Amino acid sequence: MTNLSHLRRDFPILRREVEGHPVIFLDSAASAQKPIPVLDAMDRFYRSQYANVHRGAYRLSQEATELYEDARRRVARFINAGSPDEIIFTKGTTTALNGLSSSWGYDHLEAGDRIVLSMMEHHANVVPWQLVAKRTGAELVYVPLTTGYDIDLDALRSTIDSRVKIVSLTGMSNVLGTIPPMQQISDIVRAQSEAVLIVDGAQLVPHVEVDVQTLGADFLAFSAHKMLGPTGIGVLWGKPELLEEMEPWEGGGEMISTVDLYESTWAPVPQKFEAGTPPIAEAIGLAAAVHYLEEIGMNAIRSHDLDLTEYALHRLGEVPDLVQYGPTDIKSRGGVVSFTLGDVHPHDIATILDSRGISVRAGHHCAKPLMADLGVTATARASFHVYNGRDDVDALIEGLHEARSLFGLSEG
Ligand code: C6P
């Protein structure tokens, strides 16, 4: 990243210390830090613009509504959606995928149908499908990974047939960093079935320019908090004709057109899917985050991630006893690096790193089926965003050498 030290000043949290060390934040895949423009936009809204939206009789509400709907327009532009109406604000990726499974899934699945997932899905893209499979009698089928940690396209080809109604895949693995070739996958799915293709974009959208016109998906879900925005808001994008057809998954205020004692009719998309008071300040924060990412440029962010990941893989390769899980081809992965270190438990690695001010995640990363497939119960994981640099990777490597010596792993 050009002028990294300047950019880091946008992130106030990087000025604090942990255990007497400056914060080195290497857990952006869990949740990214927030720049001042995001904090300011939300603060400004609460201090001087706050009101509920779509209660248009008074000025403050009109202004709040304008800001909220402007956020929708900004997000639509960010992923090149055909219209802002294709953007549904949800609580996050998890809520978006649950909404899809309980609405689209429930209405389109019956016994004998199949839902296809991969072995590297996050629980948010596994459990909702298990729930709907139980209710409908549909069957879950998992596509295996290659030895190079990518989706096995030959296996996908032999799995997809007319029984498959839903294919739901990660756009980027939160453990392996793998970015599956979605257009190629889409071609296979379309050629061999009428299934809808859902992309879990929780890790992809914050790091790679996504154009929903060319992605090849029918639905895309992502969360603001991993893209420098606030918690509590995410997005479900869908093709307009599918959103039109889909039943709401939540009922309440805001999403209705008419209500009588026994029947109701729905508001047009996207309001149909936004029951209750929405996350207004969060939408405004998300819009500011999108603006911030655009100012840096998604291509610059991608290059930065590639550079850091390549450097990290190179330096991790110097650490004896370290096993790295993820593609070695840098072009097909993002800035997430998972590893184990001899028989040192990943939680111990994380604790030692924490004593040096370094935050990494350790555990199953909400991907237990993948952990079983890898033959481990846990890994340590470092993940990057715009504020990270090679100095952070160097600090990580030093911490890992300390972990080796504390746990008595022999040199070489
Ligand atoms: N992964 C991680 O540390 P929510 O929590 O709804 O914003 O996102 C869920 C989710 C869905 N899909 C993928 C690929 C994800 O990585 C995540 C969140 C975090 O890896 C928290 S478990």
Side-chain angles (χ1 to χ4, degrees), residues 131-152:
L131 292 173
V132 75
K134 234 180 216 149
R135 283 157 69 203
T136 57
E139 190 191 342
L140 291 173
V141 182
Y142 288 88
V143 180
L145 304 184
T146 62
T147 50
Y149 302 99
D150 207 340
I151 291 177
D152 184 333

Side-chain angles (χ1 to χ4, degrees), residues 29-30 93-94 122 124 170 174 200 202-203 223 225-226 361 366 381:
T93 306
T94 304
H122 185 279
T170 188
N174 66 318
D200 168 357
Q203 299 292 346
S223 302
H225 69 95
K226 296 188 203 288
R361 188 172 172 190
C366 301
R381 182 189 70 182

Side-chain angles (χ1 to χ4, degrees), residues 129-360:
W129 303 114
Q130 292 174 343
L131 292 173
V132 75
K134 234 180 216 149
R135 283 157 69 203
T136 57
E139 190 191 342
L140 291 173
V141 182
Y142 288 88
V143 180
L145 304 184
T146 62
T147 50
Y149 302 99
D150 207 340
I151 291 177
D152 184 333
L153 295 186
D154 290 332
L156 180 76
R157 249 180 232 105
S158 56
T159 304
I160 303 289
D161 61 25
S162 61
R163 290 171 295 177
V164 178
K165 297 295 174 347
I166 291 169
V167 179
S168 192
L169 299 173
T170 188
M172 173 173 151
S173 163
N174 66 318
V175 177
L176 305 170
T178 311
I179 300 177
M182 208 46 80
Q183 285 159 354
Q184 225 180 319
I185 289 171
S186 173
D187 289 345
I188 295 170
V189 172
R190 309 268 177 237
Q192 300 178 198
S193 75
E194 291 186 349
V196 290
L197 176 59
I198 298 165
V199 174
D200 168 357
Q203 299 292 346
L204 183 72
V205 174
H207 293 272
V208 180
E209 183 169 14
V210 170
D211 177 342
V212 291
Q213 313 287 338
T214 56
L215 180 66
D218 296 295
F219 295 103
L220 170 73
F222 54 99
S223 302
H225 69 95
K226 296 188 203 288
M227 48 197 285
L228 317 181
T231 54
I233 188 165
V235 172
L236 173 66
W237 167 83
K239 284 189 174 158
E241 62 279 14
L242 303 184
L243 293 177
E244 208 55 59
E245 183 193 332
M246 193 159 79
E247 287 291 309
W249 57 81
E250 270 187 335
E254 297 279 310
M255 53 73 73
I256 52 87
S257 170
T258 62
V259 178
D260 70 23
L261 284 178
Y262 302 105
E263 294 267 355
S264 303
T265 58
W266 315 139
V269 175
Q271 273 74 36
K272 178 169 83 170
F273 299 106
E274 294 183 3
T277 297
I280 310 164
E282 290 78 2
I284 291 163
L286 168 58
V290 163
H291 183 65
Y292 188 85
L293 292 172
E294 284 172 339
E295 288 279 292
I296 297 172
M298 291 309 289
N299 288 336
I301 292 173
R302 177 72 180 136
S303 306
H304 172 73
D305 286 346
L306 284 175
D307 175 69
L308 267 190
T309 309
E310 192 165 29
Y311 183 67
L313 292 181
H314 168 69
R315 298 265 4 238
L316 288 169
E318 296 167 357
V319 181
D321 307 307
L322 187 140
V323 178
Q324 190 272 129
Y325 302 88
T328 43
D329 173 17
I330 203 80
K331 290 271 174 333
S332 62
R333 63 175 297 157
V336 172
V337 184
S338 281
F339 54 89
T340 52
L341 185 61
D343 57 3
V344 184
H345 195 283
H347 284 139
D348 291 329
I349 298 175
T351 305
I352 291 164
L353 292 173
D354 187 48
S355 70
R356 293 169 156 251
I358 304 168
S359 312
V360 298

Side-chain angles (χ1 to χ4, degrees), residues 360-405:
V360 298
R361 188 172 172 190
H364 54 66
H365 312 295
C366 301
K368 281 188 162 232
L370 173 60
M371 292 290 124
D373 199 44
L374 297 174
V376 295
T377 50
T379 70
R381 182 189 70 182
S383 53
F384 312 121
H385 218 312
V386 290
Y387 34 74
N388 294 118
R390 289 183 173 213
D391 53 343
D392 297 335
V393 175
D394 292 338
L396 169 70
I397 301 297
E398 268 179 41
L400 292 176
H401 282 298
E402 185 192 349
R404 288 192 78 260
S405 72

